[in-house]
Amino acid sequence: MTTINFDYSKVKNKGMFVKLEEGNYDLKIIEETIASTGSGKKFLKIIFEIMDGTYIGGLCDSGFFIFESDEKSRNIAEQQLKRLGLACGILDRITDSAELIGKEVVGKAIMKKNGFVGFVSYSSIDYATRKECEAMPNYSPSINAHADLDDDLPF
């Protein structure tokens, strides 16, 4: 047996997928692709780089099941993708998922019914603006740009 003794906190997250906790995350969209589940369902996969905090440099992703034949599932995915697009400043419609690459958003992550933490809403609040707000004496993180659009989602 080999003894390995090193501090995980000194290892950079750069390029590694990280397991998130609930909270708000500054994110940059770095990749989009069509992926498949184990059962063969196709979905749009968006990969984010975390821009701040404990997980800086780490990666996380979100799946949008916009190709579903089930109308309810597809509608939920389309709502989520619309929220992401609006947060990215795409006000009309997304015509190509590559339009999202390089955009920065704040994602609100919560524990879902399936036991995984996932994003339920996105905000367009600018990173620099948020840092300026946090420096103000009366700043409260409960008063922010995150719209509560989650009420209609089934998780």
Side-chain angles (χ1 to χ4, degrees), residues 13-125:
N13 292 316
K14 186 70 176 167
M16 293 175 45
F17 277 87
V18 295
K19 184 176 180 182
L20 299 177
E21 300 170 9
E22 289 185 321
N24 296 324
Y25 293 90
D26 295 323
L27 306 169
K28 182 176 184 177
I29 300 169
I30 61 168
E31 187 178 333
E32 53 80 31
T33 187
I34 304 300
S36 296
T37 65
S39 63
K41 290 184 179 183
K42 290 187 177 184
F43 63 98
L44 174 64
K45 181 177 184 178
I46 303 292
I47 299 176
F48 302 96
E49 181 179 352
I50 302 167
M51 305 301 291
D52 193 18
T54 305
Y55 303 109
I56 190 167
L59 304 178
C60 57
D61 61 9
S62 196
F64 299 87
F65 288 83
I66 56 174
F67 308 111
E68 279 290 308
S69 57
D70 172 47
E71 186 176 358
K72 183 177 178 180
S73 297
R74 190 177 60 252
N75 285 340
I76 290 169
E78 288 171 351
Q79 285 179 329
Q80 293 170 326
L81 190 56
K82 177 181 178 181
R83 291 177 187 155
L84 178 59
L86 289 171
C88 289
I90 301 170
L91 304 179
D92 184 21
R93 63 183 222 153
I94 299 170
T95 56
D96 185 334
S97 54
E99 295 175 60
L100 300 170
I101 302 297
K103 303 288 186 182
E104 295 184 14
V105 297
V106 176
K108 178 181 177 183
I110 66 163
M111 180 67 71
K112 296 184 177 182
K113 289 179 184 175
N114 62 7
F116 291 99
V117 173
F119 295 106
V120 292
S121 65
Y122 301 93
S123 167
S124 59
I125 189 167

